[in-house]
Amino acid sequence: MARTTFGASLFVLGATLLPSAMAHIGIFHPSVYGFHGPDSKIHEPLHSMPISRWLFHGEAHNPPPDGARMQLPAGGNVTIEVACEKRHTSFGGGDTSHNHPCPSDPPAMHSGPDFPDHLLRGCAIAIAYKQSAADVRPEDFTVISVNHYCVRTLRTVFEIPAGLPPCPNGKCVCGWFWQGQVSNDEMYMNGFDCSVENPGDRVLAKPVPPKECREGMGVECVRGAKQPMYWANEGANVEYHGPERKPAYLDYWGFPDGAQNDIFEPEQEPPAPDPIGEAPMQPAPAPPLEQDPEGPIGAFGRRFRN
């Protein structure tokens, strides 16, 4: 059963890895809840909060004022800007040629000074087929894409599964989820309005919580549609085993890199068409035997007369 209380102890790999950052990480786009307000609403870490406060940072009733939606091309990919401040993104007018999420404060990425693979926890994009964030509950989200190397670069690419169904009236609610390794017990989440381009007709399966499934644990990874990982706050759906085993959007939590193509219900084989207007073939009747007017012929060629 998932723990619902978490310590505030800091995971320390060494004195040089202590996070001194005041900033943290979030995604920046006009469709994001909080994009039009202070940056802190986007990159604020989430811990020890009730669901009403951590989900959409408590901004579910304040959608983007201009109706912006992020377009998710089914079967393609979308590039999202991951940063510690808007000024480091294309939306803030700064120099983005460096492709660094936080050149002014690298510890904000909570991944050590050189961002080695073993300190990257991955991040995920999830979708809820609701038209209003106010109607979304945590269990409504289905993870559709994962990037194992988040948050190494400002411009982060997410592959979108082909066959993703259309959003009702052209609008869904999406979320970005991440947590750092070199950090307190906390998670990150940004909500945003989204729409599916080039949609298909597949049906999403009901998502379930993932499970840690490291080699040697004897636990099978959860396959198929999965919820994002919620922890360090009210409504945790995964077990937390301490700072050295934080939840991660990686293979050993059942999340392959890229599009999550196993999120759909199995496709049904179409039934064989029935023949139309065709009666089943019947064997032709045998022709009647003809009667000889001279009478039947018996043995030795003699005819029998009536």
Side-chain angles (χ1 to χ4, degrees):
M1 185 175 183
R3 301 181 189 179
T4 56
T5 58
F6 301 85
S9 59
L10 187 65
F11 176 47
V12 181
L13 292 180
T16 59
L17 299 187
L18 277 170
S20 60
M22 293 300 292
H24 300 278
I25 296 291
I27 63 170
F28 288 83
H29 187 270
S31 64
V32 174
Y33 288 66
F35 176 83
H36 300 276
D39 282 2
S40 60
K41 273 293 184 181
I42 288 181
H43 59 63
E44 178 185 17
L46 306 168
H47 59 88
S48 305
M49 294 183 181
I51 294 175
S52 60
R53 284 189 58 202
W54 71 255
L55 189 62
F56 301 101
H57 290 274
E59 297 287 319
H61 295 279
N62 295 314
D66 55 2
R69 300 171 191 176
M70 188 181 298
Q71 301 299 316
L72 306 178
N77 59 69
V78 61
T79 299
I80 299 177
E81 295 187 48
V82 177
C84 64
E85 297 180 61
K86 187 184 293 185
R87 67 188 176 101
H88 294 312
T89 73
S90 63
F91 303 103
D95 177 17
T96 61
S97 61
H98 47 72
N99 202 26
H100 194 295
C102 195
S104 63
D105 194 1
M109 291 135 72
H110 302 306
S111 302
D114 299 317
F115 326 124
D117 288 355
H118 73 280
L119 292 183
L120 296 173
R121 318 311 297 154
C123 63
I125 295 295
I127 193 169
Y129 278 79
K130 305 280 187 177
Q131 289 196 272
S132 170
D135 296 330
V136 175
R137 301 295 296 165
E139 59 271 19
D140 294 326
F141 280 116
T142 300
V143 174
I144 59 173
S145 185
V146 164
N147 187 308
H148 281 182
Y149 304 99
C150 203
V151 291
R152 183 175 280 164
T153 59
L154 168 67
R155 291 178 289 276
T156 303
V157 178
F158 294 90
E159 298 175 358
I160 308 301
L164 205 62
C167 294
N169 297 319
K171 179 187 174 186
C172 289
V173 179
C174 287
W176 174 82
F177 298 86
W178 170 72
Q179 58 274 324
Q181 177 60 59
V182 189
S183 69
N184 294 319
D185 292 339
E186 59 196 19
M187 58 174 268
Y188 292 78
M189 182 268 179
N190 292 135
F192 58 97
D193 288 340
C194 57
S195 183
V196 177
E197 288 184 338
N198 305 315
D201 57 1
R202 300 291 300 275
V203 177
L204 264 63
K206 184 177 180 180
V208 297
K211 291 182 180 179
E212 187 182 15
C213 51
R214 294 173 188 261
E215 185 176 356
M217 287 184 60
V219 177
E220 187 174 348
C221 295
V222 174
R223 304 300 180 189
K226 291 178 284 294
Q227 299 171 7
M229 293 179 288
Y230 310 128
W231 66 290
N233 295 273
E234 180 189 35
N237 67 349
V238 296
E239 294 186 2
Y240 176 68
H241 299 288
E244 295 185 10
R245 290 171 55 189
K246 288 185 178 181
Y249 292 98
L250 298 172
D251 291 312
Y252 57 81
W253 276 87
F255 293 102
D257 191 36
Q260 306 298 290
N261 294 312
D262 60 354
I263 60 176
F264 303 108
E265 293 281 3
E267 290 188 283
Q268 300 293 324
E269 290 292 335
D274 293 328
I276 301 175
E278 295 183 4
M281 295 292 292
Q282 298 291 337
L289 296 175
E290 294 185 3
Q291 297 286 335
D292 193 319
E294 298 293 327
I297 300 177
F300 307 107
R302 296 177 180 174
R303 292 188 182 275
F304 295 97
R305 301 212 180 253
N306 296 332

